[in-house]
Amino acid sequence: MPTYLADYESELERLGLQSFTKAYPSSVLIVTAVGGFLAGNSTRSGTMTVVSTEEVQATALAGRVFLVAKGKNSRPGPVTIGRTADNDLVIPEYSISTRHCILALVDGEYRLTDLGGVNGTLVNEVRLAPLKPCVVRGGDTLRLGRFTLMFHLARGFGEFLRQRLEAEQQPAEGDKKRG
């Protein structure tokens, strides 16, 4: 099973869009950035220097793709997201609460609910009220602790990857003028 965005891009190239969509039918969360301010740290500014294994581990999560799916032995219900192994989707980092939020498919739409942790949950830079569900759509940006993640519905993930690959194959503007 692929783990990082580049792995999924390789799979798309290998399988083609239609077969990829059948092989990977889950919605996903992609870690797009690590950083930001945490509760109680709003006075910090400047460049961050990586000095601990915690920072290295957090950076290693950049580009990671998490499937939005129930764990193998989980109870029925919403997908739980948090830092401990008893969650369906585990982001092992201190800025993520033990049980940070839940993501539920209700009447054909995904609803994200913050569970009231210290660092909160943001959708498209808007802080969610604890325990109040918010509809999330493909392409929405979520912020959990220090992590920014992009949400993609299963049917849009392959198309997102295809567009990324096409953009990488486009010659840069400077290269066009020189050629």
Side-chain angles (χ1 to χ4, degrees):
M1 178 62 84
T3 304
Y4 289 92
L5 200 53
D7 302 329
Y8 281 96
E9 288 173 339
S10 295
E11 278 290 281
L12 177 64
E13 287 182 310
R14 185 177 70 81
L15 296 173
L17 184 59
Q18 188 172 8
S19 294
F20 178 88
T21 303
K22 287 179 185 174
Y24 300 100
S26 294
S27 295
V28 297
L29 285 170
I30 306 164
V31 178
T32 58
V34 179
F37 294 112
L38 301 179
N41 291 341
S42 59
T43 59
R44 283 188 169 172
S45 63
T47 304
M48 179 179 78
T49 303
V50 175
V51 293
S52 72
T53 55
E54 285 179 352
E55 298 300 332
V56 172
Q57 180 182 2
T59 304
L61 291 172
R64 174 80 191 269
V65 177
F66 292 97
L67 300 179
V68 176
K70 294 295 291 176
K72 186 176 181 181
N73 299 315
S74 296
R75 291 186 228 180
V79 172
T80 60
I81 302 171
R83 78 166 175 258
T84 57
D86 61 335
N87 288 285
D88 300 307
L89 196 155
V90 178
I91 304 174
E93 209 270 335
Y94 73 90
S95 69
I96 304 294
S97 297
T98 302
R99 193 163 303 253
H100 198 96
C101 57
I102 57 173
L103 194 54
L105 185 58
V106 179
D107 298 328
E109 60 187 17
Y110 278 95
R111 296 180 186 173
L112 182 71
T113 304
D114 177 73
L115 297 177
V118 174
N119 293 319
T121 304
L122 288 82
V123 175
N124 298 324
E125 296 304 316
V126 176
R127 183 174 290 276
L128 299 184
L131 305 177
K132 185 177 180 206
C134 170
V135 173
V136 290
R137 294 175 176 80
D140 281 352
T141 301
L142 315 179
R143 190 150 34 113
L144 312 177
R146 299 187 310 158
F147 292 88
T148 302
L149 303 104
M150 183 178 287
F151 175 73
H152 278 286
L153 298 168
R155 65 183 175 269
F157 182 47
E159 184 60 30
F160 166 75
L161 293 173
R162 187 188 65 73
Q163 289 174 1
R164 281 179 50 92
L165 288 168
E166 285 179 0
E168 288 174 7
Q169 294 169 358
Q170 297 283 333
E173 282 299 314
D175 293 343
K176 287 181 186 176
K177 291 176 184 173
R178 282 184 237 146

